[in-house]
Amino acid sequence: MTAVKIGIIGAGDCSSKGYEGAVEIGRRVAERGAILVCGGLGGVMEAGAKGAAEAGGVTVGILPGISAEEANTFIRIPLPTGMGPARNVLIVRASDVLIAVEGGYGTLSEIALALKMDKPVIGWNTWEGLPGVQYESSPMEAAEAAFRLLGKR
């Protein structure tokens, strides 16, 4: 059986609310034994990886550039792609379910790709009103919803 992989997606710049929420999501992902997948840079990606790493979890960063050194300090497995924003496809493909936190157009593209690939998407404090996205009102609920959706697949 393969390990569960939960992607956290969001911009490299985020609010303090978004950062703190992503830390909480990352922590809960790791506590439940899942691998956290993200884009490996700052903001939401760093926060999710921080929460997971501090809880003893595995963090994978699928990086846009060619250097593993560009990963934030909480990424345990950096995967440089040299693909720029096209690496969003790899983040989505590698994840079993995705949790969107805040974010800009890159996050919106990841949400769209996930829905196109029939991957569940949980939204917390992110793009509102997107068909197919399950919205939750707290980071804790977002993480729990991800695991519930995995159980239904």
Side-chain angles (χ1 to χ4, degrees):
M1 186 166 148
T2 60
V4 169
K5 296 167 294 302
I6 296 181
I8 188 165
I9 55 177
D13 293 319
C14 64
S15 70
S16 59
K17 175 183 175 180
Y19 193 93
E20 291 166 14
V23 169
E24 175 73 9
I25 290 167
R27 183 176 63 75
R28 290 183 179 274
V29 165
E31 287 174 349
R32 297 279 300 268
I35 295 170
L36 184 116
V37 176
C38 69
L41 301 177
V44 167
M45 299 168 277
E46 175 184 302
K50 177 181 180 184
E54 289 177 348
V58 176
T59 57
V60 176
I62 301 177
L63 303 163
I66 60 171
S67 173
E69 282 73 38
E70 72 181 318
N72 70 63
T73 59
F74 303 104
I75 296 297
R76 299 298 173 250
I77 303 171
L79 300 173
T81 67
M83 296 176 66
R87 66 64 153 98
N88 290 355
V89 172
L90 301 177
I91 294 167
V92 171
R93 183 57 73 196
S95 302
D96 298 311
V97 63
L98 294 106
I99 302 173
V101 178
E102 294 187 357
Y105 292 129
T107 306
L108 184 58
S109 76
E110 289 167 312
I111 292 169
L113 288 165
L115 295 173
K116 180 81 173 167
M117 293 180 205
D118 199 31
K119 303 269 181 147
V121 179
I122 308 299
W124 172 74
N125 197 35
T126 190
W127 291 87
E128 294 182 17
L130 298 175
V133 175
Q134 179 177 321
Y135 293 93
E136 298 296 337
S137 60
S138 75
M140 178 189 73
E141 291 169 351
E144 291 307 311
F147 286 100
R148 271 195 316 277
L149 287 174
L150 284 170
K152 293 180 181 178
R153 292 180 75 79

